[in-house]
Amino acid sequence: MRVVKKKVLVDVCGPVDLSGDEGWVAFDAPALVGASLRFVSGEPDGNRYRVRYYRDAEQQLRARIWFGPETEGPPGHSHGGAMAAVLDEVLGLAAWAAGHRVVVGNLNISFRNLLPLEEVVTVESTVISAAGRKVMVHGRICLGETVFAEAECLCITLPGK
Ligand SMILES: CCCCCCCCCC(=O)SCCNC(=O)CCNC(=O)[C@H](O)C(C)(C)COP(=O)(O)OP(=O)(O)OC[C@H]1O[C@@H](n2cnc3c(N)ncnc32)[C@H](O)[C@@H]1OP(=O)(O)O
C-alpha cells in the first residue's frame, strides 16, 4: 500500500528543474562530507526535498531546492521546521565548503514569507567570518526578490580533527 501511495505522489509531482544560474558550478556535497546528509539531500526523486548544490562565481555555496508536499506545515506551504532543516544543512555545509570541519552550534532564523509547496527556490550562503573555533555563516531562502527565511548560523569546528 505504501509503495503504491508513494508512486502516485512521484507521478503527480513529476520532474523539477534544479538547474543553476549562469556561472554556477556543480558542487559534490557527498564527496566532501560523506553520504550522511540524507534528511534533506537523501531522496533526489522523492516528495520531501529535491536538492542540487552549486558554487557561485565567488565560490559561495548555493542550493536549488524544491520543497515537496511532505514538507507541508501551514496548508499548501512549507513547515518552518522544514525550512530550518534546509538552512541547517546548507549553512553548515557552506562552512565545510570553505574548509572548516564544523557542526552547527546556533541557528537563528527569521521566517519572512510563507513558502508555497512544490516551488523551486534558492538558498544563498555567505561565510562571514572565521575566528578560533567559530565560523559565522549567513544565508537565506529566496526566490527572486521574495525572501522566505533568513538565518545567522554559528558553526563550531570539531576539536581534534
Ligand atoms: C560529518 C559531516 C557533517 C556535515 C555537516 C554539514 C551540515 C550539517 C549541519 C548539522 O546538522 S550539525 C547537527 C546539529 N548540531 C549539533 O547537533 C551540535 C551539537 N552540539 C555540539 O556538538 C557541541 O555543543 C559543539 C561541538 C557545538 C560545541 O561543544 P564543544 O564542547 O566542542 O565546545 P564548547 O562548548 O567548549 O564551545 C566552544 C566555543 O564555541 C562557543 N559555543 C558553543 N556552542 C555554542 C552555541 N550554541 N552558541 C553560541 N556559542 C557556542 C562556546 O561559547 C565557546 O566559545 P569560546 O571559545 O569563545 O569560549
Side-chain angles (χ1 to χ4, degrees), residues 112-127:
R112 299 299 188 187
N113 282 287
L114 288 164
L115 195 168
L117 295 180
E118 299 189 46
E119 197 78 74
V120 174
V121 297
T122 299
V123 184
E124 300 175 349
S125 72
T126 306
V127 177

Side-chain angles (χ1 to χ4, degrees), residues 2-157:
R2 256 184 102 157
V3 173
V4 172
K5 186 179 171 197
K6 187 168 184 179
K7 177 146 189 0
V8 169
L9 277 172
V10 169
D11 289 343
V12 168
C13 292
V16 297
D17 180 5
L18 297 173
S19 53
D21 285 358
E22 196 176 333
W24 291 11
V25 175
F27 178 81
D28 186 349
L32 178 64
V33 300
S36 67
L37 299 178
R38 288 176 295 168
F39 183 68
V40 173
S41 296
E43 293 182 12
D45 300 314
N47 292 299
R48 192 167 61 239
Y49 307 101
R50 301 182 194 178
V51 185
R52 200 172 297 165
Y53 283 107
Y54 300 90
R55 281 190 200 264
D56 69 9
E58 284 76 44
Q59 299 302 303
Q60 300 287 356
L61 193 69
R62 295 281 179 266
R64 281 281 202 254
I65 300 198
W66 174 83
F67 282 76
E70 292 177 7
T71 68
E72 188 169 30
H77 296 84
S78 169
H79 195 291
M83 287 188 267
V86 163
L87 288 163
D88 179 54
E89 174 167 319
V90 178
L91 302 191
L93 190 59
W96 277 74
H100 308 283
R101 297 173 59 89
V102 301
V103 288
V104 172
N106 181 270
L107 183 61
N108 183 14
I109 301 174
S110 295
F111 298 103
R112 299 299 188 187
N113 282 287
L114 288 164
L115 195 168
L117 295 180
E118 299 189 46
E119 197 78 74
V120 174
V121 297
T122 299
V123 184
E124 300 175 349
S125 72
T126 306
V127 177
I128 300 293
S129 63
R133 293 181 59 197
K134 298 175 186 174
V135 181
M136 180 58 74
V137 184
H138 289 183
R140 59 185 196 163
I141 302 173
C142 55
L143 177 60
E145 298 298 307
T146 303
V147 176
F148 300 105
E150 52 194 354
E152 300 162 352
C153 179
L154 176 66
C155 302
I156 307 294
T157 56

